[in-house]
Amino acid sequence: PHSPAAPGGSRAERIRNACKSAYVACDELFRSASPTRGDGATATCVIVDGDEVTIANVGDSEAVLYLAGESRILSADHRVGRRTPAEHTRLMDAGAAIGRIRGRNGQPVGPERVYPGGLSVTRSIGDSDSTAAAIPDPDVSTITLPASGGMIVIASDGVWDFVTKAHVEKLAQQSRKPRSGAGWMARALMRATIQSNLEVDDATILCIDVRDATDDLPTMSLSDKVKSRARSIFHIGGRRPTTAPAGRPADVRAASSESESDEKSLSVSDRNAA
């Protein structure tokens, strides 16, 4: 059911409003559960409703739609270093400061961060120890899928920072072959990621096949095909760079979110999406 804060309108509008309400409610839960620890996470949500796809996100986990011969970024990038002019103005109006960590030689190192708190993203869930300028309000949009559908890849920056969009697009085209699909795509992309990532940053991948598969699923609607074909594989682990801010706990994470934790373990799973 939709949140009471999601008023009437078109179905797509109600879904967008429900996403906004859910992100704010999740942020409140984070803050109330650990008001002094500053737990936090980025989150990207993709809702497939027939031929419409709604995307909501905060932080730097990105969703990309791969079509035949082209790709389209669906989510907003909330990294401080990639902020839009409007986002910069919002941060300044909220009293935030932007800077970089200084290394042992006194020179700036690493990405730009927003202070107080030192987050490398301008929007997140939780992070109660950071500036009030880091808000949980997601960027939300809705697109209409083409008749042929496509492949949606949701992944954390521990993936996108280590593989090229061209390589992912090539894998997406190869996944159209028989006996491939979303599960194959996720595993192939993870293999490519860990060759370069070396566990420096958490890597999370979720692939959703929303292509029109009339050859082997002739009686199913597009939304039913999505349920049948969605696969996820996620690799969680890594060591924190020495310039990173205070650690995050490792007990709150989901397949479509990246917790900024100091997790040391490695977990890989391949499962059907409900």
Side-chain angles (χ1 to χ4, degrees):
H2 292 299
S3 163
S10 68
R11 181 178 177 88
E13 184 179 0
R14 295 199 304 272
I15 291 175
R16 289 192 295 271
N17 288 335
C19 286
K20 295 174 183 178
S21 299
Y23 271 66
V24 172
C26 187
D27 177 72
E28 293 173 350
L29 287 173
F30 258 87
R31 292 171 182 269
S32 62
S34 55
T36 61
R37 291 173 57 184
D39 303 353
T42 70
T44 297
C45 175
V46 172
I47 300 173
V48 181
D49 184 34
D51 63 351
E52 290 189 326
V53 177
T54 296
I55 308 94
N57 82 289
V58 295
D60 52 12
S61 296
E62 193 171 273
V64 182
L65 170 64
Y66 291 91
L67 305 169
E70 63 176 307
S71 62
R72 178 176 177 182
I73 298 175
L74 303 179
S75 54
D77 192 339
H78 294 141
R79 280 184 264 200
V80 178
R82 299 183 182 179
R83 62 192 180 279
T84 63
E87 191 77 339
H88 178 82
T89 299
R90 184 186 67 77
L91 292 172
M92 296 299 100
D93 289 346
I98 295 173
R100 297 168 65 193
I101 294 175
R102 293 194 177 275
R104 294 179 180 178
N105 61 0
Q107 297 300 311
V109 296
E112 286 187 304
R113 299 179 182 275
V114 60
Y115 294 93
L119 287 179
S120 61
V121 292
T122 63
R123 302 188 185 208
S124 69
I125 292 175
D127 291 306
S128 58
D129 59 345
S130 299
T131 173
I135 59 176
D137 303 62
D139 269 299
V140 185
S141 60
T142 301
I143 67 165
T144 300
L145 289 169
S148 58
M151 176 75 77
I152 299 175
V153 178
I154 312 169
S156 64
D157 63 334
V159 175
W160 299 117
D161 287 350
F162 295 92
V163 295
T164 65
K165 291 293 196 300
H167 181 69
V168 182
E169 186 167 344
K170 180 179 179 181
L171 291 178
Q173 295 306 313
Q174 293 176 344
S175 73
R176 302 178 71 91
K177 297 179 180 179
R179 305 178 67 84
S180 294
W184 177 91
M185 172 80 180
R187 289 189 293 272
L189 181 53
M190 183 57 71
R191 284 194 295 269
T193 299
I194 61 178
Q195 290 177 2
S196 300
N197 188 317
L198 302 178
E199 299 184 49
V200 170
D201 196 5
D202 293 355
T204 303
I205 300 170
L206 188 146
C207 297
I208 308 171
D209 192 339
V210 289
R211 289 185 288 245
D212 186 11
T214 54
D215 54 336
D216 58 345
L217 299 173
T219 63
M220 300 176 75
S221 67
L222 181 57
S223 59
D224 288 334
K225 293 170 187 174
V226 171
K227 294 177 183 178
S228 173
R229 291 169 172 272
R231 298 290 188 272
S232 68
I233 181 169
F234 48 102
H235 159 135
I236 300 171
R239 62 183 182 275
R240 180 174 300 281
T242 57
T243 57
R248 304 288 196 275
D251 57 350
V252 182
R253 63 171 82 239
S256 60
S257 70
E258 180 200 9
S259 175
E260 300 168 311
S261 67
D262 195 11
E263 178 84 40
K264 299 298 182 183
S265 63
L266 175 67
S267 172
V268 180
S269 73
D270 183 10
R271 60 182 176 82
N272 289 337

